[in-house]
């Protein structure tokens, strides 16, 4: 091999080596603040921690993996029941008949249930409380049939709603969370061994919509104990499966967590022990999901890790106050107006859950609506007070920002804080004349300078 060929090969080897090293150096260990999944050692197949105000993901572990959610499936039934009530389609007092399907499932006490009678009409509230507090499967199916006409139709509505809410990794086949094997001949969607499949992120997104759209759902979800009296001779004591709520016996005090007021547990042999939790402290609410833990107690212990991390390591900060201006962007230029500029500011306050010590690591970024500006980047008069001209987001100075449930950063509208009327023809003519004369003098000055 001649010297020239050896030198060429050595050069190629060095180039590949340095490119590889550069790629390793530039490849971030954590692309965003929500990917440091090893710090907490959460012992679950998947998990996620979300700020309920902004939708920020503060922690996740395999949160896009689709797993059986067990009775956390019922959260969609809760959401759609609340939606039907708030839209006026049904009310809490609406009467519900019991089908053969519902009756058969409700009598199986191997599942979580309150026994229902076919010769008795239950109210929506009776059934909803049994579902949300006691995870009663028969009651859940009864609500699905009432709202959808049949569970099969209701499942279509569940999947349609999941898509609308942006729950990408979600596949519903029934309203309760039981597997088709458990439902037997009553299974109407999917194969005989199929079950619902959801990701932790999808469940967190649903929980986010429940607590923000229908916060009254938490009043029922946070009920520790309730007596079910409808259609029974002896009241049935419904003890909430959420052991993190206050008010339980001494054997459960080890799991109680200040501020917890929801949301839904789940368990099957296939799913393991699961829990979607939410807690509020000092006006700051967090949402957690853990899937596939090993025991009843583990799902709460792992949730505690997430909540402790969220409340102890993060603070909900107001980064920009309502009416505040973005540095360097106090005004926008205006053309054809009585004034040549207009003041702008954020319409609302900009808030973010920030990890302690990182408060100064973010800066506001202005994004102007280019459709409102002409080719010169100016607004054209008349300009109304309060007119939206763009929005502000926060940018991380170190490139390690947060991701969000909806895939978008928090955006706060930027509006004009005053109006600018359109100038009349006389003023516009005088301005045009002034610009012409100014241009002439400028040209003359340039010419004189050229002489000397």
């Amino acid at each position: 091999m001649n010297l020239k060929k050896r030198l060429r090969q050595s050069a190629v080897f060095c180039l590949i080596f340095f490119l590889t090293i550069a790629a390793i150096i530039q490849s971030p260990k954590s692309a965003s603040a929500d990917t440091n999944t090893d710090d907490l050692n959460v012992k679950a197949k998947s998990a996620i921690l979300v700020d309920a105000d902004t939708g920020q993901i503060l922690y996740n572990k395999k949160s896009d993996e689709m797993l059986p959610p067990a009775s956390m499936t019922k959260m969609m039934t809760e959401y759609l029941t609340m939606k039907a009530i708030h839209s006026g389609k049904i009310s809490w007092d609406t009467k519900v008949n019991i089908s053969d399907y519902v009756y058969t499932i409700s009598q199986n006490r191997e599942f979580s249930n309150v026994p229902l009678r076919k010769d008795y009409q239950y109210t929506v509230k009776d059934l909803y409380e049994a579902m949300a507090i006691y995870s009663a499967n028969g009651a859940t199916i009864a609500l699905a049939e009432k709202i959808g006409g049949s569970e099969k139709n209701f499942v279509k509505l569940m999947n349609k709603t999941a898509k609308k809410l942006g729950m990408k990794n979600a596949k519903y086949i029934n309203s309760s969370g039981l597997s088709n094997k458990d439902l037997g001949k009553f299974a109407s969607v999917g194969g005989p061994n199929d079950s619902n499949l959801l990701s932790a992120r999808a469940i967190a997104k649903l929980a986010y919509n429940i607590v923000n759209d229908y916060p009254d759902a938490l009043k029922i979800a946070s009920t520790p104990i309730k007596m079910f009296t409808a259609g029974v001779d002896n009241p049935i004591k419904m003890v909430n499966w959420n052991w993190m709520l206050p008010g339980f016996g001494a054997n459960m005090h080890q799991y109680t967590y200040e501020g917890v007021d929801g949301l839904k547990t789940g368990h099957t042999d296939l799913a393991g022990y699961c829990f979607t939790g939410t807690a509020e402290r000092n006006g700051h609410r967090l949402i957690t999901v853990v899937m596939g833990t090993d025991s009843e107690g583990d799902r709460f212990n792992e949730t505690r890790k997430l909540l402790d991390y969220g409340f102890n390591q993060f603070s909900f900060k107001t980064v920009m106050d309502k009416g505040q201006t973005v540095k360097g962007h106090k005004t926008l230029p205006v053309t054809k107006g009585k004034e040549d500029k207009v003041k702008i500011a954020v319409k609302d306050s900009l808030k973010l859950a920030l990890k302690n010590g990182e408060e100064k690591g973010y800066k506001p970024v202005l994004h102007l609506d280019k459709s409102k500006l002409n080719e010169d980047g100016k607004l054209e008069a008349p300009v109304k007070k309060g007119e939206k001209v763009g929005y502000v987001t926060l940018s991380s100075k170190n490139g390690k920002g947060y991701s969000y449930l909806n895939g978008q950063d928090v955006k706060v509208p930027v509006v004009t804080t005053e109006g600018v009327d359109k100038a009349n023809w006389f003023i516009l003519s005088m301005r045009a004349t002034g610009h012409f004369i100014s241009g002439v003098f400028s040209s003359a000055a340039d010419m004189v300078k050229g002489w000397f």
Side-chain angles (χ1 to χ4, degrees), residues 205-243:
K205 192 168 291 188
L206 177 57
Y208 174 85
N209 281 276
I210 290 175
V211 301
N212 285 289
D213 295 348
Y214 308 115
D216 46 330
L218 295 175
K219 295 179 181 179
I220 298 175
S222 61
T223 304
I225 299 174
K226 179 88 174 183
M227 303 305 292
F228 186 82
T229 59
V232 294
D233 296 328
N234 298 312
I236 298 172
K237 187 177 184 180
M238 299 188 298
V239 179
N240 202 313
W241 294 100
N242 179 0
W243 293 356

mmCIF file of all heavy atoms in Angstrom, residues 205-243:
data_model
loop_
_atom_site.group_PDB
_atom_site.id
_atom_site.type_symbol
_atom_site.label_atom_id
_atom_site.label_comp_id
_atom_site.label_asym_id
_atom_site.label_seq_id
_atom_site.Cartn_x
_atom_site.Cartn_y
_atom_site.Cartn_z
ATOM 1 N N LYS A 205 -53.996 12.886 30.123
ATOM 2 C CA LYS A 205 -54.690 13.893 29.322
ATOM 3 C C LYS A 205 -56.185 13.884 29.632
ATOM 4 O O LYS A 205 -56.824 14.935 29.722
ATOM 5 C CB LYS A 205 -54.448 13.631 27.833
ATOM 6 C CG LYS A 205 -54.878 14.767 26.916
ATOM 7 C CD LYS A 205 -54.364 14.577 25.506
ATOM 8 C CE LYS A 205 -52.859 14.728 25.426
ATOM 9 N NZ LYS A 205 -52.359 14.742 24.018
ATOM 10 N N LEU A 206 -56.749 12.693 29.800
ATOM 11 C CA LEU A 206 -58.156 12.586 30.176
ATOM 12 C C LEU A 206 -58.384 13.170 31.568
ATOM 13 O O LEU A 206 -59.336 13.928 31.784
ATOM 14 C CB LEU A 206 -58.588 11.123 30.145
ATOM 15 C CG LEU A 206 -60.021 10.815 30.593
ATOM 16 C CD1 LEU A 206 -61.035 11.589 29.763
ATOM 17 C CD2 LEU A 206 -60.292 9.308 30.507
ATOM 18 N N ALA A 207 -57.504 12.835 32.516
ATOM 19 C CA ALA A 207 -57.618 13.379 33.875
ATOM 20 C C ALA A 207 -57.518 14.899 33.860
ATOM 21 O O ALA A 207 -58.243 15.592 34.586
ATOM 22 C CB ALA A 207 -56.534 12.786 34.769
ATOM 23 N N TYR A 208 -56.618 15.421 33.043
ATOM 24 C CA TYR A 208 -56.450 16.874 32.896
ATOM 25 C C TYR A 208 -57.758 17.522 32.462
ATOM 26 O O TYR A 208 -58.155 18.576 32.979
ATOM 27 C CB TYR A 208 -55.347 17.143 31.880
ATOM 28 C CG TYR A 208 -55.140 18.591 31.508
ATOM 29 C CD1 TYR A 208 -54.330 19.417 32.281
ATOM 30 C CD2 TYR A 208 -55.747 19.138 30.377
ATOM 31 C CE1 TYR A 208 -54.125 20.754 31.934
ATOM 32 C CE2 TYR A 208 -55.558 20.466 30.023
ATOM 33 C CZ TYR A 208 -54.745 21.263 30.803
ATOM 34 O OH TYR A 208 -54.557 22.582 30.452
ATOM 35 N N ASN A 209 -58.450 16.901 31.526
ATOM 36 C CA ASN A 209 -59.719 17.447 31.049
ATOM 37 C C ASN A 209 -60.834 17.285 32.081
ATOM 38 O O ASN A 209 -61.706 18.148 32.184
ATOM 39 C CB ASN A 209 -60.110 16.778 29.728
ATOM 40 C CG ASN A 209 -59.345 17.350 28.546
ATOM 41 O OD1 ASN A 209 -59.703 18.365 27.977
ATOM 42 N ND2 ASN A 209 -58.254 16.686 28.182
ATOM 43 N N ILE A 210 -60.802 16.219 32.839
ATOM 44 C CA ILE A 210 -61.815 16.044 33.888
ATOM 45 C C ILE A 210 -61.694 17.133 34.947
ATOM 46 O O ILE A 210 -62.673 17.799 35.284
ATOM 47 C CB ILE A 210 -61.698 14.646 34.538
ATOM 48 C CG1 ILE A 210 -62.147 13.553 33.557
ATOM 49 C CG2 ILE A 210 -62.556 14.581 35.812
ATOM 50 C CD1 ILE A 210 -61.943 12.142 34.066
ATOM 51 N N VAL A 211 -60.486 17.328 35.486
ATOM 52 C CA VAL A 211 -60.330 18.280 36.592
ATOM 53 C C VAL A 211 -60.519 19.725 36.136
ATOM 54 O O VAL A 211 -60.900 20.583 36.942
ATOM 55 C CB VAL A 211 -58.967 18.118 37.295
ATOM 56 C CG1 VAL A 211 -58.821 16.714 37.847
ATOM 57 C CG2 VAL A 211 -57.811 18.446 36.371
ATOM 58 N N ASN A 212 -60.253 20.006 34.854
ATOM 59 C CA ASN A 212 -60.412 21.376 34.368
ATOM 60 C C ASN A 212 -61.798 21.652 33.810
ATOM 61 O O ASN A 212 -62.327 22.758 33.970
ATOM 62 C CB ASN A 212 -59.345 21.677 33.306
ATOM 63 C CG ASN A 212 -57.977 21.904 33.908
ATOM 64 O OD1 ASN A 212 -57.729 22.918 34.551
ATOM 65 N ND2 ASN A 212 -57.078 20.950 33.732
ATOM 66 N N ASP A 213 -62.409 20.667 33.145
ATOM 67 C CA ASP A 213 -63.739 20.867 32.568
ATOM 68 C C ASP A 213 -64.851 20.599 33.579
ATOM 69 O O ASP A 213 -65.864 21.289 33.583
ATOM 70 C CB ASP A 213 -63.939 19.953 31.351
ATOM 71 C CG ASP A 213 -63.013 20.295 30.200
ATOM 72 O OD1 ASP A 213 -62.382 21.371 30.244
ATOM 73 O OD2 ASP A 213 -62.907 19.485 29.265
ATOM 74 N N TYR A 214 -64.664 19.591 34.406
ATOM 75 C CA TYR A 214 -65.714 19.186 35.351
ATOM 76 C C TYR A 214 -65.130 18.974 36.752
ATOM 77 O O TYR A 214 -65.083 17.851 37.266
ATOM 78 C CB TYR A 214 -66.387 17.903 34.855
ATOM 79 C CG TYR A 214 -66.857 17.997 33.430
ATOM 80 C CD1 TYR A 214 -66.297 17.185 32.440
ATOM 81 C CD2 TYR A 214 -67.839 18.912 33.050
ATOM 82 C CE1 TYR A 214 -66.715 17.283 31.119
ATOM 83 C CE2 TYR A 214 -68.264 19.013 31.734
ATOM 84 C CZ TYR A 214 -67.699 18.199 30.776
ATOM 85 O OH TYR A 214 -68.117 18.297 29.470
ATOM 86 N N PRO A 215 -64.680 20.045 37.382
ATOM 87 C CA PRO A 215 -64.069 19.909 38.713
ATOM 88 C C PRO A 215 -65.027 19.351 39.762
ATOM 89 O O PRO A 215 -64.567 18.832 40.794
ATOM 90 C CB PRO A 215 -63.646 21.348 39.059
ATOM 91 C CG PRO A 215 -64.469 22.225 38.158
ATOM 92 C CD PRO A 215 -64.687 21.446 36.915
ATOM 93 N N ASP A 216 -66.353 19.448 39.506
ATOM 94 C CA ASP A 216 -67.308 18.885 40.465
ATOM 95 C C ASP A 216 -67.196 17.358 40.538
ATOM 96 O O ASP A 216 -67.681 16.748 41.496
ATOM 97 C CB ASP A 216 -68.741 19.299 40.124
ATOM 98 C CG ASP A 216 -69.085 19.153 38.651
ATOM 99 O OD1 ASP A 216 -68.179 19.282 37.817
ATOM 100 O OD2 ASP A 216 -70.268 18.929 38.337
ATOM 101 N N ALA A 217 -66.544 16.734 39.542
ATOM 102 C CA ALA A 217 -66.336 15.281 39.590
ATOM 103 C C ALA A 217 -65.467 14.903 40.784
ATOM 104 O O ALA A 217 -65.590 13.789 41.322
ATOM 105 C CB ALA A 217 -65.687 14.801 38.294
ATOM 106 N N LEU A 218 -64.597 15.823 41.204
ATOM 107 C CA LEU A 218 -63.700 15.536 42.320
ATOM 108 C C LEU A 218 -64.449 15.453 43.651
ATOM 109 O O LEU A 218 -63.991 14.791 44.583
ATOM 110 C CB LEU A 218 -62.602 16.599 42.396
ATOM 111 C CG LEU A 218 -61.634 16.630 41.208
ATOM 112 C CD1 LEU A 218 -60.663 17.789 41.340
ATOM 113 C CD2 LEU A 218 -60.882 15.314 41.091
ATOM 114 N N LYS A 219 -65.587 16.131 43.758
ATOM 115 C CA LYS A 219 -66.366 16.067 44.993
ATOM 116 C C LYS A 219 -66.846 14.646 45.265
ATOM 117 O O LYS A 219 -66.900 14.194 46.410
ATOM 118 C CB LYS A 219 -67.563 17.016 44.902
ATOM 119 C CG LYS A 219 -67.185 18.489 44.823
ATOM 120 C CD LYS A 219 -68.425 19.368 44.718
ATOM 121 C CE LYS A 219 -68.048 20.838 44.609
ATOM 122 N NZ LYS A 219 -69.237 21.722 44.470
ATOM 123 N N ILE A 220 -67.197 13.940 44.194
ATOM 124 C CA ILE A 220 -67.635 12.553 44.347
ATOM 125 C C ILE A 220 -66.431 11.624 44.452
ATOM 126 O O ILE A 220 -66.397 10.725 45.298
ATOM 127 C CB ILE A 220 -68.534 12.143 43.167
ATOM 128 C CG1 ILE A 220 -69.800 13.025 43.154
ATOM 129 C CG2 ILE A 220 -68.925 10.673 43.255
ATOM 130 C CD1 ILE A 220 -70.704 12.796 41.976
ATOM 131 N N ALA A 221 -65.424 11.853 43.621
ATOM 132 C CA ALA A 221 -64.236 10.989 43.623
ATOM 133 C C ALA A 221 -63.513 11.019 44.966
ATOM 134 O O ALA A 221 -62.823 10.065 45.322
ATOM 135 C CB ALA A 221 -63.282 11.416 42.515
ATOM 136 N N SER A 222 -63.661 12.109 45.715
ATOM 137 C CA SER A 222 -62.949 12.254 46.997
ATOM 138 C C SER A 222 -63.782 11.794 48.192
ATOM 139 O O SER A 222 -63.357 11.956 49.335
ATOM 140 C CB SER A 222 -62.540 13.710 47.203
ATOM 141 O OG SER A 222 -63.683 14.558 47.244
ATOM 142 N N THR A 223 -64.938 11.196 47.943
ATOM 143 C CA THR A 223 -65.782 10.684 49.028
ATOM 144 C C THR A 223 -65.190 9.390 49.568
ATOM 145 O O THR A 223 -65.130 8.388 48.843
ATOM 146 C CB THR A 223 -67.214 10.420 48.529
ATOM 147 O OG1 THR A 223 -67.749 11.620 47.960
ATOM 148 C CG2 THR A 223 -68.108 9.944 49.658
ATOM 149 N N PRO A 224 -64.741 9.351 50.825
ATOM 150 C CA PRO A 224 -64.075 8.142 51.346
ATOM 151 C C PRO A 224 -65.032 6.957 51.496
ATOM 152 O O PRO A 224 -64.697 5.835 51.127
ATOM 153 C CB PRO A 224 -63.534 8.578 52.699
ATOM 154 C CG PRO A 224 -63.527 10.068 52.664
ATOM 155 C CD PRO A 224 -64.682 10.457 51.790
ATOM 156 N N ILE A 225 -66.207 7.238 52.037
ATOM 157 C CA ILE A 225 -67.179 6.166 52.310
ATOM 158 C C ILE A 225 -68.580 6.678 52.002
ATOM 159 O O ILE A 225 -68.923 7.820 52.318
ATOM 160 C CB ILE A 225 -67.120 5.699 53.774
ATOM 161 C CG1 ILE A 225 -65.732 5.142 54.107
ATOM 162 C CG2 ILE A 225 -68.176 4.634 54.051
ATOM 163 C CD1 ILE A 225 -65.549 4.798 55.582
ATOM 164 N N LYS A 226 -69.398 5.841 51.377
ATOM 165 C CA LYS A 226 -70.775 6.212 51.047
ATOM 166 C C LYS A 226 -71.648 4.964 51.158
ATOM 167 O O LYS A 226 -71.250 3.873 50.736
ATOM 168 C CB LYS A 226 -70.832 6.764 49.620
ATOM 169 C CG LYS A 226 -72.221 7.168 49.158
ATOM 170 C CD LYS A 226 -72.527 8.595 49.528
ATOM 171 C CE LYS A 226 -73.853 9.029 48.948
ATOM 172 N NZ LYS A 226 -74.167 10.433 49.229
ATOM 173 N N MET A 227 -72.844 5.141 51.705
ATOM 174 C CA MET A 227 -73.777 4.027 51.791
ATOM 175 C C MET A 227 -74.638 4.005 50.535
ATOM 176 O O MET A 227 -75.242 5.015 50.167
ATOM 177 C CB MET A 227 -74.648 4.158 53.033
ATOM 178 C CG MET A 227 -73.876 4.238 54.349
ATOM 179 S SD MET A 227 -72.731 2.857 54.634
ATOM 180 C CE MET A 227 -73.893 1.504 54.871
ATOM 181 N N PHE A 228 -74.673 2.846 49.870
ATOM 182 C CA PHE A 228 -75.527 2.686 48.691
ATOM 183 C C PHE A 228 -76.870 2.148 49.177
ATOM 184 O O PHE A 228 -76.962 1.033 49.706
ATOM 185 C CB PHE A 228 -74.882 1.715 47.702
ATOM 186 C CG PHE A 228 -75.621 1.599 46.401
ATOM 187 C CD1 PHE A 228 -75.438 2.525 45.393
ATOM 188 C CD2 PHE A 228 -76.519 0.547 46.192
ATOM 189 C CE1 PHE A 228 -76.121 2.423 44.185
ATOM 190 C CE2 PHE A 228 -77.205 0.429 44.993
ATOM 191 C CZ PHE A 228 -77.005 1.380 43.983
ATOM 192 N N THR A 229 -77.905 2.950 49.000
ATOM 193 C CA THR A 229 -79.220 2.599 49.560
ATOM 194 C C THR A 229 -80.273 2.341 48.497
ATOM 195 O O THR A 229 -81.368 1.870 48.829
ATOM 196 C CB THR A 229 -79.716 3.745 50.471
ATOM 197 O OG1 THR A 229 -79.810 4.954 49.701
ATOM 198 C CG2 THR A 229 -78.772 3.959 51.646
ATOM 199 N N ALA A 230 -79.983 2.636 47.254
ATOM 200 C CA ALA A 230 -80.992 2.523 46.198
ATOM 201 C C ALA A 230 -81.320 1.061 45.900
ATOM 202 O O ALA A 230 -80.453 0.272 45.518
ATOM 203 C CB ALA A 230 -80.495 3.205 44.924
ATOM 204 N N GLY A 231 -82.589 0.706 46.092
ATOM 205 C CA GLY A 231 -83.081 -0.624 45.698
ATOM 206 C C GLY A 231 -82.588 -1.767 46.550
ATOM 207 O O GLY A 231 -82.673 -2.924 46.124
ATOM 208 N N VAL A 232 -82.046 -1.498 47.739
ATOM 209 C CA VAL A 232 -81.559 -2.581 48.601
ATOM 210 C C VAL A 232 -82.234 -2.499 49.965
ATOM 211 O O VAL A 232 -82.604 -1.415 50.434
ATOM 212 C CB VAL A 232 -80.023 -2.516 48.785
ATOM 213 C CG1 VAL A 232 -79.325 -2.782 47.464
ATOM 214 C CG2 VAL A 232 -79.593 -1.179 49.360
ATOM 215 N N ASP A 233 -82.415 -3.657 50.602
ATOM 216 C CA ASP A 233 -82.997 -3.686 51.939
ATOM 217 C C ASP A 233 -81.978 -3.263 52.990
ATOM 218 O O ASP A 233 -82.298 -2.545 53.944
ATOM 219 C CB ASP A 233 -83.514 -5.100 52.255
ATOM 220 C CG ASP A 233 -84.655 -5.512 51.335
ATOM 221 O OD1 ASP A 233 -85.426 -4.614 50.926
ATOM 222 O OD2 ASP A 233 -84.756 -6.704 51.009
ATOM 223 N N ASN A 234 -80.750 -3.709 52.794
ATOM 224 C CA ASN A 234 -79.681 -3.358 53.711
ATOM 225 C C ASN A 234 -78.636 -2.521 52.981
ATOM 226 O O ASN A 234 -78.074 -2.980 51.975
ATOM 227 C CB ASN A 234 -79.018 -4.613 54.281
ATOM 228 C CG ASN A 234 -79.985 -5.464 55.082
ATOM 229 O OD1 ASN A 234 -80.710 -4.952 55.938
ATOM 230 N ND2 ASN A 234 -80.008 -6.763 54.795
ATOM 231 N N PRO A 235 -78.389 -1.291 53.427
ATOM 232 C CA PRO A 235 -77.426 -0.409 52.751
ATOM 233 C C PRO A 235 -76.070 -1.078 52.588
ATOM 234 O O PRO A 235 -75.608 -1.810 53.471
ATOM 235 C CB PRO A 235 -77.340 0.808 53.676
ATOM 236 C CG PRO A 235 -78.652 0.824 54.390
ATOM 237 C CD PRO A 235 -79.003 -0.632 54.592
ATOM 238 N N ILE A 236 -75.459 -0.823 51.439
ATOM 239 C CA ILE A 236 -74.144 -1.393 51.143
ATOM 240 C C ILE A 236 -73.081 -0.326 51.391
ATOM 241 O O ILE A 236 -73.172 0.785 50.861
ATOM 242 C CB ILE A 236 -74.076 -1.877 49.683
ATOM 243 C CG1 ILE A 236 -75.104 -2.991 49.462
ATOM 244 C CG2 ILE A 236 -72.670 -2.368 49.334
ATOM 245 C CD1 ILE A 236 -75.252 -3.396 48.010
ATOM 246 N N LYS A 237 -72.094 -0.647 52.185
ATOM 247 C CA LYS A 237 -71.032 0.295 52.515
ATOM 248 C C LYS A 237 -70.003 0.316 51.381
ATOM 249 O O LYS A 237 -69.301 -0.663 51.150
ATOM 250 C CB LYS A 237 -70.377 -0.113 53.835
ATOM 251 C CG LYS A 237 -69.372 0.885 54.378
ATOM 252 C CD LYS A 237 -68.837 0.406 55.725
ATOM 253 C CE LYS A 237 -67.904 1.421 56.353
ATOM 254 N NZ LYS A 237 -67.390 0.952 57.666
ATOM 255 N N MET A 238 -69.959 1.432 50.666
ATOM 256 C CA MET A 238 -69.000 1.579 49.570
ATOM 257 C C MET A 238 -67.768 2.308 50.101
ATOM 258 O O MET A 238 -67.819 3.503 50.398
ATOM 259 C CB MET A 238 -69.618 2.361 48.406
ATOM 260 C CG MET A 238 -70.838 1.722 47.781
ATOM 261 S SD MET A 238 -71.386 2.568 46.259
ATOM 262 C CE MET A 238 -71.788 4.200 46.882
ATOM 263 N N VAL A 239 -66.663 1.582 50.223
ATOM 264 C CA VAL A 239 -65.403 2.171 50.677
ATOM 265 C C VAL A 239 -64.554 2.491 49.454
ATOM 266 O O VAL A 239 -64.303 1.628 48.621
ATOM 267 C CB VAL A 239 -64.634 1.211 51.608
ATOM 268 C CG1 VAL A 239 -63.318 1.839 52.043
ATOM 269 C CG2 VAL A 239 -65.488 0.864 52.820
ATOM 270 N N ASN A 240 -64.149 3.736 49.338
ATOM 271 C CA ASN A 240 -63.357 4.173 48.189
ATOM 272 C C ASN A 240 -62.057 3.380 48.117
ATOM 273 O O ASN A 240 -61.351 3.220 49.120
ATOM 274 C CB ASN A 240 -63.068 5.672 48.300
ATOM 275 C CG ASN A 240 -62.741 6.311 46.969
ATOM 276 O OD1 ASN A 240 -61.941 5.783 46.217
ATOM 277 N ND2 ASN A 240 -63.356 7.449 46.700
ATOM 278 N N TRP A 241 -61.714 2.921 46.914
ATOM 279 C CA TRP A 241 -60.487 2.146 46.726
ATOM 280 C C TRP A 241 -59.240 3.034 46.758
ATOM 281 O O TRP A 241 -58.115 2.525 46.780
ATOM 282 C CB TRP A 241 -60.544 1.393 45.394
ATOM 283 C CG TRP A 241 -61.599 0.330 45.353
ATOM 284 C CD1 TRP A 241 -62.832 0.415 44.775
ATOM 285 C CD2 TRP A 241 -61.519 -0.983 45.931
ATOM 286 N NE1 TRP A 241 -63.539 -0.758 44.939
ATOM 287 C CE2 TRP A 241 -62.750 -1.641 45.652
ATOM 288 C CE3 TRP A 241 -60.543 -1.667 46.646
ATOM 289 C CZ2 TRP A 241 -63.017 -2.942 46.060
ATOM 290 C CZ3 TRP A 241 -60.806 -2.972 47.057
ATOM 291 C CH2 TRP A 241 -62.033 -3.589 46.767
ATOM 292 N N ASN A 242 -59.452 4.330 46.779
ATOM 293 C CA ASN A 242 -58.328 5.274 46.842
ATOM 294 C C ASN A 242 -57.908 5.460 48.290
ATOM 295 O O ASN A 242 -58.493 6.251 49.025
ATOM 296 C CB ASN A 242 -58.739 6.614 46.220
ATOM 297 C CG ASN A 242 -57.632 7.650 46.263
ATOM 298 O OD1 ASN A 242 -56.535 7.392 46.747
ATOM 299 N ND2 ASN A 242 -57.930 8.846 45.777
ATOM 300 N N TRP A 243 -56.879 4.755 48.699
ATOM 301 C CA TRP A 243 -56.445 4.784 50.091
ATOM 302 C C TRP A 243 -55.673 6.055 50.454
ATOM 303 O O TRP A 243 -55.309 6.244 51.615
ATOM 304 C CB TRP A 243 -55.551 3.578 50.386
ATOM 305 C CG TRP A 243 -56.285 2.274 50.311
ATOM 306 C CD1 TRP A 243 -57.624 2.078 50.101
ATOM 307 C CD2 TRP A 243 -55.708 0.972 50.456
ATOM 308 N NE1 TRP A 243 -57.924 0.748 50.097
ATOM 309 C CE2 TRP A 243 -56.773 0.040 50.314
ATOM 310 C CE3 TRP A 243 -54.418 0.505 50.685
ATOM 311 C CZ2 TRP A 243 -56.571 -1.346 50.389
ATOM 312 C CZ3 TRP A 243 -54.200 -0.863 50.769
ATOM 313 C CH2 TRP A 243 -55.272 -1.781 50.628
#
